[in-house]
Amino acid sequence: MKLSLAVFATSFAVAAEAGSLEKWANIRRQLSYEMVAGYKPESQVTDHCAIDLDQAAMEVQLAVGTDESFQAARKIYNTGGNSKVYADVTITPALTKTIPKGDKIMGRNAEDSEVMGKTGAAYQAGDSALKVYYATTDLQDSYVGCQVGGLVEPTLKGCFKDSGEFTIGGDTYTYT
């Protein structure tokens, strides 16, 4: 037991000295997630599970049986709307620094309520075209407030307004 404790203490001291503990300082572990069809996921899968909502929306359109509804179903198939929802935006001025993939982006919806998203890729200083994924929750019933893409009946309450300001990495940018 003394040897195990000594090894742990030494490893902890070496890690602390190297500064590697900093990256763990703000990470919180989720101990359980909502069950999905009898499966207990070990990570947040609500956004991935929402693909069944896209499937259901396609089935509704296909059941109508018209050329227009078939095209609507195809659009849902190609662009989704319930899963992995994002906004393509152009910001000004261009980024002034590198932004990592998954970095938090804050904006506002049409009702002036705060909306959170994250970068869909890493971006370099000088980039102005961004793909911003909407933040998701752990609860399937309320996993995301913006459902757009190819949906015939989109949900816009949780979407960024058409133009406004984003806060990215502590800096403010205008977007369209």
Side-chain angles (χ1 to χ4, degrees), residues 2 54 60 74 78:
K2 288 182 183 180
D54 290 338
V60 166
R74 181 186 301 247
N78 288 328

Side-chain angles (χ1 to χ4, degrees), residues 90-136:
T90 301
I91 60 168
T92 54
L95 289 173
T96 57
K97 59 187 173 191
T98 299
I99 303 295
K101 179 180 179 179
D103 207 26
K104 184 169 67 169
I105 295 180
M106 301 303 294
R108 300 232 167 240
N109 66 8
E111 298 170 352
D112 205 35
S113 296
E114 196 169 67
V115 175
M116 187 168 73
K118 63 182 181 179
T119 54
Y123 294 99
Q124 304 301 313
D127 287 345
S128 60
L130 307 179
K131 181 180 272 192
V132 181
Y133 284 91
Y134 289 96
T136 57

Side-chain angles (χ1 to χ4, degrees), residues 16 18 29 48 138 168:
R29 184 167 175 243
H48 303 286
D138 296 338
I168 307 171

Side-chain angles (χ1 to χ4, degrees), residues 23-125:
K23 69 179 183 180
W24 302 104
N26 293 319
I27 294 178
R28 291 191 172 86
R29 184 167 175 243
Q30 174 83 21
L31 297 179
S32 63
Y33 291 90
E34 192 173 47
M35 295 284 286
V36 178
Y39 168 74
K40 185 175 182 337
E42 296 294 321
S43 63
Q44 186 190 60
V45 295
T46 50
D47 200 29
H48 303 286
C49 289
I51 197 165
D52 69 332
L53 299 174
D54 290 338
Q55 172 81 29
M58 286 186 290
E59 290 176 9
V60 166
Q61 293 304 310
L62 291 171
V64 173
T66 66
D67 289 342
E68 293 81 16
S69 66
F70 180 77
Q71 291 305 318
R74 181 186 301 247
K75 185 175 179 184
I76 296 166
Y77 177 82
N78 288 328
T79 62
N82 289 291
S83 179
K84 300 293 184 183
V85 183
Y86 64 90
D88 281 322
V89 297
T90 301
I91 60 168
T92 54
L95 289 173
T96 57
K97 59 187 173 191
T98 299
I99 303 295
K101 179 180 179 179
D103 207 26
K104 184 169 67 169
I105 295 180
M106 301 303 294
R108 300 232 167 240
N109 66 8
E111 298 170 352
D112 205 35
S113 296
E114 196 169 67
V115 175
M116 187 168 73
K118 63 182 181 179
T119 54
Y123 294 99
Q124 304 301 313

